[in-house]
Amino acid sequence: MSYDRTVRLDADFDTTVTAVRKALADQGFGILTEIDVKATLKAKLGHDMEDYLILGACNPPLARRALEAERSIGLLLPCNVVVRRDRDTTVIQALDPGTMVTLTGLDALKPVAGDATARLDAALSSLT
């Protein structure tokens, strides 16, 4: 089972991060959390790696609908979006919202997952 939705861009990391933030905002997602994995691993372990950022994106109306259907769904929120370097490209990956339905088996989450998927796909498509 594929659990991601991925696009690759021939753009530098910082430009891509800015574009991803805008694309997500245009689809109603705010960024609740941000983890600079590269900086964290360097500071905590002395480990060098490529640029790697995890954005915790949230669309409040979708989150509310999901939580109303299943209170424990907060374990899968917010929608994680990764921006990372991979050789000469920048990769943008979002967790496929359909994963909520697959993991929980709850049909009540299908409409929320469908809406979230459409919004994330629109955001990712706008980047290419």
Side-chain angles (χ1 to χ4, degrees), residues 8-70:
R8 290 178 174 273
L9 299 180
D10 291 324
D12 69 82
F13 183 77
D14 292 331
T15 300
T16 301
V17 169
T18 299
V20 167
R21 289 178 189 279
K22 181 182 180 328
L24 290 169
D26 289 347
Q27 292 299 317
F29 290 93
I31 304 302
L32 298 179
T33 60
E34 181 175 322
I35 303 167
D36 184 338
V37 177
K38 176 183 179 178
T40 300
L41 293 184
K42 181 66 174 176
K44 301 291 183 183
L45 303 174
H47 176 73
D48 289 315
M49 67 177 291
E50 72 278 4
D51 291 321
Y52 196 115
L53 184 68
I54 303 171
L55 301 173
C58 178
N59 179 299
L62 293 178
R64 178 178 168 224
R65 287 172 50 203
L67 288 164
E68 286 175 354
E70 172 59 46

Side-chain angles (χ1 to χ4, degrees), residues 49-99:
M49 67 177 291
E50 72 278 4
D51 291 321
Y52 196 115
L53 184 68
I54 303 171
L55 301 173
C58 178
N59 179 299
L62 293 178
R64 178 178 168 224
R65 287 172 50 203
L67 288 164
E68 286 175 354
E70 172 59 46
R71 282 292 197 234
S72 296
I73 205 67
L75 292 166
L76 299 174
L77 298 177
C79 296
N80 280 331
V81 178
V82 170
V83 182
R84 64 182 176 86
R85 285 300 291 173
D86 183 22
R87 297 184 197 99
D88 295 332
T89 63
T90 302
V91 178
I92 304 95
Q93 295 176 290
L95 182 67
D96 186 333
T99 303

Side-chain angles (χ1 to χ4, degrees), residues 5 27 29 62 96-97 111-125:
R5 307 187 87 68
Q27 292 299 317
F29 290 93
L62 293 178
D96 186 333
V112 179
D115 194 359
T117 298
R119 290 173 180 274
L120 284 173
D121 283 350
L124 293 174
S125 292

Side-chain angles (χ1 to χ4, degrees), residues 1 3 73 75-76 95-106 109:
M1 174 184 106
Y3 59 90
I73 205 67
L75 292 166
L76 299 174
L95 182 67
D96 186 333
T99 303
M100 301 191 282
V101 179
T102 303
L103 288 176
T104 65
L106 295 173
L109 290 171

